[in-house]
Amino acid sequence: MRGGEELGRKWYEAAKFEGKPNTFLDAIAAAEALVAEGCTASGRIVVQGGSAGGLLVGAVLNMRPGLWAGAIADVPFVDVLATILDDSLPLTPGEWSQWGNPIESRAAFEQIRGYSPYDNVAAQAYPPILVTAGVSDPRVTYWEPAKWVARLRATKTDDNILMLRTNMTSGHFGRSGRFAALEDAARSQAFALKATGTDPETA
């Protein structure tokens, strides 16, 4: 969401720093528009995103859990505040230009804490969720999704499935090779079909 300049540079810049929640509101608005236009129904949409897109997935799950039939978060950047506070991680200083520097700015600290998925898990019902991680991932360390899943399991009030699949040989972009990528895609598709209660033979 807002990764380009489809509505101009100003629109793109308005989703950085304190404007970051605009990306989450955009995703919710897009889902609601699909419902309003009769393309689907509330609770019949599976949201998917990876890396920073996984942050979006985690945020909209916290904000509007009942809007989604399920969620797929691939190597999700969900422990945002802890990661951005750790300047020993190689990618963290470069990210301050997008998110703000919570080490030096109290305002940036509060802004990031306000939407960080890990820090905002609530005692509420969440839809079925599939989470992936890569043990060799230098961008989103594997313990980020693991921490998030652990907090969700300890806090959420539903019995819906919550799966964490950690690949022990891959990094940020998943396993290499065409067939491995197809297997990962098929797994996500199967999860989405199951979450929506869709018969794969008629989908």
Side-chain angles (χ1 to χ4, degrees), residues 110-122:
E110 296 297 345
Q111 288 157 12
I112 295 169
R113 183 166 65 176
Y115 61 73
S116 174
Y118 175 78
D119 294 290
N120 289 278
V121 170

Side-chain angles (χ1 to χ4, degrees), residues 16 22 28 33 38 41-42 51 84 105 112 120 128 135 157 181 202:
K16 292 183 178 180
N22 285 328
I28 291 169
S42 183
S51 195
I84 295 295
S105 168
I112 295 169
N120 289 278
V135 77
T157 60
T202 61

